[in-house]
Amino acid sequence: MKRRNIFLTFGVLFVMLGLTLILAIAIGAVAIPPGVTLQVLLSRIGLGDISGVSGSTVDIIWRLRLPRVILGMLVGASLSLAGATFQGLLRNPLADPFTIGVSSGAAVGATIAILLRQLGVMFFPHMLPAFAFVGAFLAMFFIYNLAKIGGQVPVVTLLLAGVVVSSFLSAIISLIMVFSGQNMQGIFFWLSGGLMMRSWTEVWFVLPYLLVGFLVLFFYARELNILLMGEEAALHLGVRVEFTKKLLLVIASLVTAAAVSVSGMIGFVGLIVPHAVRIVSGPDHRVLLPASALVGAIFLVWADVFARTAVAPQEIPVGIITAFVGAPFFIYLLRKKKKDIRL
């Protein structure tokens, strides 16, 4: 991709991101003109006057919609960034954070936290994100060690370990739901994925993981490009293959864990977005990683807007919306991959 086209692409994406922020805040049960939304946002950095804006409107924008939209951007960017990393690292377009089993680990942790909280056991505030995060990290640790053979982690073995562990963890979740009785509804809504009832607390929880994760993954974009040629070729070109694989797996898993821990199970974002961006931008991870993050942020926010307005005042969990979009896309990729194998 030529440098001029790269600058143009990112310019368009940043403009789309800004428009998405303003319009997504404006759309809702209480319609707010985009101009008023922009006025309130600018006032927070000393560039606007909100003397003519009602206090309730300011509260709706600043306390309800803005943190939800920003969190949607962070979660979408995190899942897409992790998905692009997993697909490049495993050289498989069907790989995403959920294939690896990280989300299933987060789901087990969150399910346990929801059950404990509804049973009246509350160890500390914001217990659910902490439990989900620990569950995801432990799942990745177990999958990695299960796949390790003689100090190395073959790609195929890692994928198989992820699928097997995910199935086992899903069985644990089902078992917990069977015995949860009236608490099943809360577990179901979390597993469906959503951004409802989220606040600035969740935003500040995810933000540092995304920033640090992006910096590390982008720093290793060159190594990811070389790994696309195969591990043996990467070794000859001076890449520390096993160390790089370990580091990128851990960082991408932590980014995923942080996102899933505050949003629940929002699937297919890490599968759809990187693949779509790769078609336009090519396989160069120096472009693919940041572009996937931006497109993922935009995609998830609009999916959430649809989820909260399609059957208003009822809200559809955004994970259901992304599944409706992502499942046919996954089938398309699977069929395409089967045709490639035949050829």
Side-chain angles (χ1 to χ4, degrees), residues 170-193:
S170 297
I172 293 177
I173 294 170
S174 299
L175 185 64
I176 294 174
M177 291 180 69
V178 167
F179 289 104
S180 63
Q182 295 180 348
N183 301 315
M184 184 184 294
Q185 187 175 11
I187 296 173
F188 170 78
F189 275 109
W190 192 90
L191 293 175
S192 299

Side-chain angles (χ1 to χ4, degrees), residues 14-81:
F14 276 113
V15 170
M16 291 177 62
L17 188 70
L19 290 175
T20 295
L21 176 68
I22 295 170
L23 294 176
I25 293 173
I27 297 171
V30 178
I32 301 173
V36 174
T37 301
L38 182 61
Q39 185 180 351
V40 172
L41 295 179
L42 290 176
S43 72
R44 291 292 173 170
I45 56 176
L47 297 178
D49 179 24
I50 56 172
S51 57
V53 182
S54 67
S56 61
T57 300
V58 174
D59 284 341
I60 289 173
I61 293 173
W62 189 253
R63 295 184 180 180
L64 296 178
R65 295 187 186 171
L66 182 59
R68 177 169 181 160
V69 170
I70 292 179
L71 183 65
M73 289 181 171
L74 294 177
V75 170
S78 298
L79 295 176
S80 300
L81 181 66

Side-chain angles (χ1 to χ4, degrees), residues 248-270:
L248 297 184
L249 281 172
V250 169
I251 297 299
S253 298
L254 290 178
V255 170
T256 302
V260 173
S261 69
V262 297
S263 66
M265 301 278 283
I266 300 178
F268 293 104
V269 177

